Amino acid sequence: FFCHAHAAMMLWWALWTAGCESEAPAPAQPAHSTLSFAAPTRVFPQTGTDRTYGSYYGDAFYSIGTTGQTLFGTPGDGPGGTTDVLRSDDAGKTWKPWYKGSYISPQTGYPFTAVRNGTASIHNLGSACASHKDTPQSTFSNTNATTGESVVESWSVGPQSGAAVTRTVDAKVTVGALPTPLNCTQGGVTADCFWLHAGGVVPLPPSLGGGFVMSNCVPWLNGRFGATKEGAGLYVWHSADGLAWEYRATVATAVEFPESGEGPNENDLTVLADGTTLMVVFRVNDGIDGGPSPPMNYRRATSTDGGKTWRDPVEMFDINHRGMGVARPRLLMLGETGPLLLSGGRLLTEHTRDILLWVNWDGMGEVWEPHSISYQHNLRVTPAALQFSSAVNSTSGRATTSYTSLLPLGESSASLVYNGETGVFAMTLTVQ
C-alpha cells in the first residue's frame, strides 16, 4: 500500500497503513476501565542511511517527580556511541537536549537498570556488575567475589512542581556475587561473563521485608559471550538501600529452554495488585539473535516471599489466544492496584514486528488485552510522513526494534516511548 493521506479516507488509512490490520476486538470492560491514546510527539528524528533498523531505540528513558513532571533519557546509539540525553519538563510534550552521554551515562554499557528511590530520586546501576566501571559492556566477575564499587549517575528533584533536577555522578554501588562461579571463557581463556542490564528494580512492601529487589541476567546467546548454559540465566538480588546488592534467587537458566538460542535475558519486574506477589516477565528467544532457533513468547514467573523462591515460568498469551512477546518487556503498574501495563513487541511468533501494549485490568498479570501501537500511532500522528509503513508487519527487516520505555505520569497515566523508521516518539496513555 502507498502511504498517502486524505482527510476523507482517514479511517481507511489508519486500518491499512502500517498497522495494516485493526486491533482485535477486546471484551467489554467496565466504564472506568478504558484506555485512551494521545497523539504522539517526536522526541528525536531518525538519522543515518539505515532507517529500517531503528538505531535510536527509545528504551532508556526515565520519569522522576511525584507526577512524572520531568522525563529524561537518551534516544539510543548516536554517532560514535554518544548522543544527547534529552529532557522534558511537561510530561513528554516537548523535549530539549540536557547533556552529552553514552547511551544514558558515561559509565553505562548496554542497556541499563534504574532504581527509583521513592518518587524524588533515581539512580542507574551503570556498570555496577562490571569488573571495572569503565568497561564498554557490563560484565560479572567469574571469580565468585564481589565486584567492588562502581560510580554511577543519580538524579533528584525537589518536591514542588517544576523543581530543578539535580544530576550527580558519585553514587556508589556494590553487587554481591552469585553462589556458584559462572566460569565463563572467551576463546578458551577464562574471562568475565557478559552481564545484560536489561532488568527491573521494584521496592518491596514492608510485609515482604522492605528494601528493593532487582532482576537481571547473564544471556546464553549460543555461548557467544562465554557463559555455560548452567550459568546463563535470570537472577534476583535484594538491597536495603538500592546501592548494596546481594544475590537472592535464580528464576530460570538456559538449561530449562533447550530449544532457545538465547536463554532467559531481557526482563522486567513488578509487584502485583495484591501487594504481596512479585512477577517477572522475560524474553526467551526472538528467532534471530540466538541463531537458527524458533521465536518464543514471553514467560512470566511469580514469587510470594519477596523473591526468595519462584514458581516455574509459564508461557504468555493474550485474551485472543495470540502469543505475547518477544523482545524487551517493560512493566508498569498504574497506582497500587492497576491496571498493569506491559509493552514490547517484535512478535515473530505471530509474524509481526509491531510495537505492542498489553493491559491487565485487575493488576494480577494473567489476562491481557492487546493494543497495536503502530495502529494508534498512524491514527493520530501528523504529518503523515511520520507514519509507520507496512514494513512494521513484516518478518524481515526492522521497521522498529520494538524496544520501549513505560514512564509513570501519575496514578492513571503513562508515557510510552518507542521507535520507528522516522525517529523516537512519546505517546501519553490515560486510563479513564
Side-chain angles (χ1 to χ4, degrees), residues 36-40 376 380 426-430:
S36 65
F37 300 82
Q376 297 295 340
R380 294 169 173 82
M427 178 186 292
T428 298
L429 319 171
T430 304

Side-chain angles (χ1 to χ4, degrees), residues 109-370:
Y110 162 79
F112 70 97
T113 300
V115 180
R116 289 177 61 87
N117 189 1
T119 58
S121 67
I122 190 170
H123 64 267
N124 79 55
L125 293 178
S127 49
C129 292
S131 54
H132 187 273
K133 70 180 181 64
D134 293 320
T135 50
Q137 298 284 5
S138 295
T139 57
F140 194 96
S141 174
N142 69 82
T143 62
N144 203 32
T146 57
T147 60
E149 290 186 342
S150 286
V151 178
V152 298
E153 285 190 311
S154 61
W155 303 270
S156 60
V157 66
Q160 68 272 27
S161 177
V165 177
T166 303
R167 169 179 170 257
T168 62
V169 290
D170 58 358
K172 305 274 194 244
V173 172
T174 60
V175 179
L178 297 171
T180 303
L182 292 172
N183 296 322
C184 293
T185 60
Q186 288 283 0
V189 179
T190 298
D192 288 339
C193 293
F194 176 73
W195 191 258
L196 189 62
H197 274 278
V201 177
V202 293
L204 278 180
S207 61
L208 294 177
F212 300 86
V213 285
M214 169 177 68
S215 59
N216 258 317
C217 67
V218 174
W220 162 236
L221 291 176
N222 279 322
R224 188 191 315 169
F225 296 107
T228 63
K229 273 201 168 185
E230 292 76 16
L234 176 61
Y235 301 102
V236 171
W237 275 261
H238 178 264
S239 173
D241 60 2
L243 295 172
W245 297 88
E246 295 297 331
Y247 168 84
R248 174 155 281 192
T250 300
V251 178
T253 69
V255 172
E256 298 168 47
F257 300 94
E259 68 277 27
S260 169
E262 299 179 19
N265 58 101
E266 298 167 346
N267 63 92
D268 206 358
L269 184 70
T270 192
V271 179
L272 296 179
D274 62 2
T276 60
T277 303
L278 291 171
M279 183 181 75
V280 63
V281 174
F282 60 93
R283 165 178 168 168
V284 181
N285 207 58
D286 76 347
I288 301 172
D289 293 342
S293 52
M296 301 171 67
N297 293 322
Y298 293 145
R299 273 22 179 211
R300 67 179 182 91
T302 56
S303 169
T304 55
D305 58 5
K308 297 175 183 176
T309 60
W310 292 81
R311 295 185 177 91
D312 290 340
V314 297
E315 188 172 5
M316 297 185 69
F317 296 89
D318 67 22
I319 57 174
N320 301 310
H321 308 292
R322 289 169 60 89
M324 295 173 61
V326 295
R328 189 74 163 114
R330 297 285 82 191
L331 289 164
L332 176 63
M333 182 73 76
L334 291 179
E336 294 183 357
T337 59
L340 175 62
L341 307 180
L342 167 61
S343 62
R346 199 186 304 170
L347 188 55
L348 298 183
T349 57
E350 301 291 345
H351 312 292
T352 177
R353 288 181 175 273
D354 199 3
I355 306 158
L356 293 162
L357 178 80
W358 295 272
V359 184
N360 168 238
W361 290 101
D362 66 4
M364 290 304 296
E366 295 184 358
V367 181
W368 296 92
E369 175 185 296

